Amino acid sequence: MTASNDPLLQPYQLKHLTLKNRIMSTAHEPAYSEEGMPTDRYRLYHLEKAKGGIALTMTAGSAVVSPDSPPAFGNLHAYRDEIVPWLKKLADDCHEYGTAVMIQLTHLGRRTGWNRGDWLPVLAPSPIREPAHRAFPKEAEEWDIERIVADYASAAQRMQAAGLDGIEFEAYGHLMDGFWSPATNRRDDEFGGSLENRMRFSTIVTEAVRKVVGPDFIVGIRLVADEDWEKGLSREEGVEIASRLARSGTIDFLNIIRGHIDHDASLNKVIPIQGMPASPHLDFAGEVRAATKFPVFHAARISDVATARHAIAEGKLDMVGMTRAHIADPHIVKKIMAGEEARIRPCVGATYCLDRIYEGGEALCIHNAATSREAEIPHDIAKAKVLRKAVVIGAGPAGLEAARVLAERGHKVDVLEATSQAGGQVNLLTRNPRRKEMVGIIDWRLSELERLGVNIHYDVYAGADDVLAFEPDLVIVATGGIAQSPELDAGEELVTSSWDILAGAIKPEGSVLLFDDNGGHQGMSAAEVIANAGAELELVSPERFFAPEMGGMNHVPYAKTFAERNVRVTINTRLKSVRRDGNSLVATLGSDFSETTATERRVSQVVVEHGTMANADLYLELKPMSRNLGAVNYDALIRRQPPLPVRNDEGRFDLIRIGDAVSSRNIHAAIHDALRYCSLL
Ligand SMILES: Cc1cc2nc3c(=O)[nH]c(=O)nc-3n(C[C@H](O)[C@H](O)[C@H](O)COP(=O)(O)O)c2cc1C
Ligand code: SF4
């Protein structure tokens, strides 16, 4: 297929606006804003996608139109005039690359908290609480409705003044569709009851906005056309709403959503994560397109180019959203056009990005550490001025990323790996069948290393001599860590690590107690494997809730397994000791909150998850021979200056230790370590 006949690369005419191809990034608030403003970090993030060739970037996610819609996850403040110059700069920069820029506007309704922003009460069509955000909303009064309609109109005017190409209303799980849905609208006034009444608020808003922006500004709506929920909006009514909006003359495109989002489990079906079916709502979006004969956009786990191409070629969509796919690789279109589709860094569906914003952080990609750090770390690695001979020890995520970045810099790179396979701890977590896609993190790097001519030497358990034999002037130690046990009063020798379970070295059987004080995927994955093996499992955590290091989206499949397999979850409880008693183990449990509390569990196995201990022997052996004695100038590293001081004039090479070889962290941290150091060397 060539660029001239690739369905994805054909332009799309949306009224007066020509979109240069069919690929877009749908609205997603990455929480890069500063006090509600899209400052430089925000702009550079979108600009990178524009450089990568995307046709349309929908900025914000749920930019709020009113102060009584307080930001729930770093949302932009569309109700403030100061936003205009920030957005203008963003739009101007993206336009330079021919990328259209729009923004999603909303009133969050009940999907936010009352104790944020200006501390104004949360409202909704009817006073029904959303489980996810827990605010008890008041019922919107007529003066609220008047005020919010005016807020939508003035926000839209601000967006037009900023030179954006258009806006999109958010109408799923927020205020606008809250009026549509029988689940959230119990009103008996002119805004409740019949479909016409339930659509009255959205009709007034869309008409008010169209009136102020005129015909030459794109106005679309991202709407739920089937809540897939017995008490919610039916498919029949949803498609009817879509059709009425299409006929209204106020709207230019429909961006289709299926499902409801009032708690994590339902949100998970709208935004599926790894291990769940791909493109689950694509056919439905295509049916809405056929029914309405109107421009239809859609995104939901269409993460590979082949599916995106199919969606356009089969006429299911006019514009295909590849949102997380662009967080993982903002240069998708550029690579398709260059015939380098196979080089696209895959989105592996880890959904670390989304989970972080719901936990109060900013969106980061689990395996692209340059995303959102464009101001400091480039996506395209520049060649180094001085070329070096580098040895990387360890072919886990950190080592492979280090090798990739160094090779892109032009250095000569050899990788030494102790086992016969690359992947490190990723090989453990993919033993959980649901997380198989994580192998993409490794496979993508292996194919990049092949292209770059990097040699990986397998089955080399490297000592200092093995490293020195390469006569390197740069050594990167990425040897990872090994599972460790929490400190117990007694019985550490009797426990099994979560690694042994994941690796299949120990088969779960009988009754198992799993103590997890690490709080991330490792313990949960082991728990899932144990539960699915049919063992009777109790998961014990010293925390206020289990797996606190893992976000809501990733929590869902674990919680589902635990519910279905009857896993007992015990929080606020710490494993103190283990002793053998006949064929059983007896675990003593205590409480951080009460010194007098001690209970016992008689089980077949005690499994522990307490992170890893750094595998630092090789680093310590090499350290005295190195030029920097292993030291790093953190200030320089943060300022993106050469970070390695000279501490030993006799040293023959610079030495850096990265990833879990330093301390137990996660894949993003390992890859970030590798990228931030190696892109400077
Ligand atoms: C970090 C993040 C924030 C998001 N915030 C919003 C939002 O504010 N509004 C919205 O309509 N969708 C939001 N989404 C959903 C995306 O627009 C998109 O529907 C979803 O990621 C599925 O598409 P994908 O599989 O192509 O990523 C968000 C997604 C992510 C990853
Ligand atoms: S964190 Fe995972 S889901 Fe999110 S963009 Fe990166 S690879 Fe995709």
Side-chain angles (χ1 to χ4, degrees), residues 324 327-328 346-353 364-367:
R324 282 170 292 176
I327 300 178
C347 169
V348 297
T351 313
Y352 183 62
C353 46
L364 295 173
C365 176
I366 197 162
H367 80 125

Side-chain angles (χ1 to χ4, degrees), residues 107-146:
H107 190 295
L108 291 161
R110 63 184 195 146
R111 194 171 171 73
T112 186
W114 51 270
N115 50 359
R116 306 165 196 202
D118 293 311
W119 281 64
L120 293 170
V122 168
L123 58 69
S126 298
I128 302 165
R129 189 193 205 208
E130 191 215 49
H133 290 77
R134 297 191 296 276
F136 292 98
K138 75 156 197 165
E139 178 170 300
E141 300 172 59
E142 67 290 345
W143 59 271
D144 290 313
I145 292 175
E146 278 165 28

Side-chain angles (χ1 to χ4, degrees), residues 164-243:
L164 267 56
D165 299 283
I167 58 168
E168 161 187 276
F169 300 117
E170 204 281 11
Y172 65 105
H174 292 190
L175 184 63
M176 198 176 261
D177 61 296
F179 279 93
W180 299 342
S181 174
T184 45
N185 185 345
R186 309 278 161 82
R187 300 174 75 104
D188 53 14
D189 61 3
E190 73 271 31
F191 292 97
S194 67
L195 184 60
E196 193 182 345
N197 278 359
R198 281 181 280 135
M199 283 191 71
R200 192 174 307 282
F201 175 72
S202 53
T203 304
I204 299 175
V205 171
T206 51
E207 285 175 355
V209 166
R210 180 55 79 191
K211 195 165 160 209
V212 295
V213 298
D216 297 332
F217 188 62
I218 301 291
V219 178
I221 184 163
R222 190 170 207 200
L223 79 159
V224 56
D226 171 10
E227 279 194 309
D228 188 23
W229 192 16
E230 75 277 357
K231 65 179 184 179
L233 192 70
S234 68
R235 185 185 184 112
E236 196 191 352
E237 278 199 335
V239 177
E240 176 59 23
I241 289 173
S243 304

Side-chain angles (χ1 to χ4, degrees), residues 26-29 61-62 104 172 222 271 299 301 323-324 354:
T26 56
H28 58 290
E29 179 45 63
S62 318
Q104 183 182 70
Y172 65 105
R222 190 170 207 200
I271 308 179
R301 204 156 137 73
T323 306
R324 282 170 292 176
L354 183 58

